[in-house]
Amino acid sequence: MKNVIGVPEPARGGSWRSCLLLALLLQLVACARPAPEQQLRDQFAALQQAVEQRRSADAMDAVSEDFSGPGGMDRAALHNLLRVQLLARDSVGVTTGPLDIELRDDTATVRFDALLTGAGRGRLLPDSAQSYRVTTGWRRQDDEWRLYYAQWQAGP
């Protein structure tokens, strides 16, 4: 059976309007924002890229105002540590292993291994490298993930 505009009616008493509505809803779902875990992975990648590109202010955009780290480190101390490391080297590399992400409502814990490398005086090969086991805490603030906690321990 066809309706007024010549579009076939779905079988079993459904209407073409119902099909159209379903198609629109499916399209909206497909265009929705990424899932929280993907948003977190994207924010993590942006932070890593900012460090490697020596953009300390951009890296700190992902850090919460109430950040806490080892030995009572606050956000300002983390920013100073990052600036000192970037100023001491011509290039910085950050290589992470797989991210182990645990989501809980609007918070997340991300654990990973990281290899930090640095080269100075125009060298292509790193003149320093250190591995770390890192645990970070993230929270959603203003609809974005922010780093509020970090703990790291030098690896073997």
Side-chain angles (χ1 to χ4, degrees), residues 34-93:
E37 182 174 336
Q38 187 57 51
Q39 289 176 324
L40 180 56
R41 287 180 183 280
D42 293 345
Q43 183 72 352
F44 185 92
L47 172 61
Q48 182 176 347
Q49 183 177 32
V51 170
E52 288 179 333
Q53 293 177 353
R54 309 171 58 75
R55 299 184 339 258
S56 64
D58 290 345
M60 294 304 295
D61 284 346
V63 179
S64 177
E65 292 296 326
D66 64 345
F67 173 84
S68 66
M73 178 183 290
D74 63 5
R75 186 178 195 277
L78 176 65
H79 194 188
N80 288 337
L81 175 65
L82 180 58
R83 285 190 289 213
V84 165
Q85 294 302 316
L86 294 177
L87 287 171
R89 291 161 180 79
D90 291 336
S91 68
V92 173

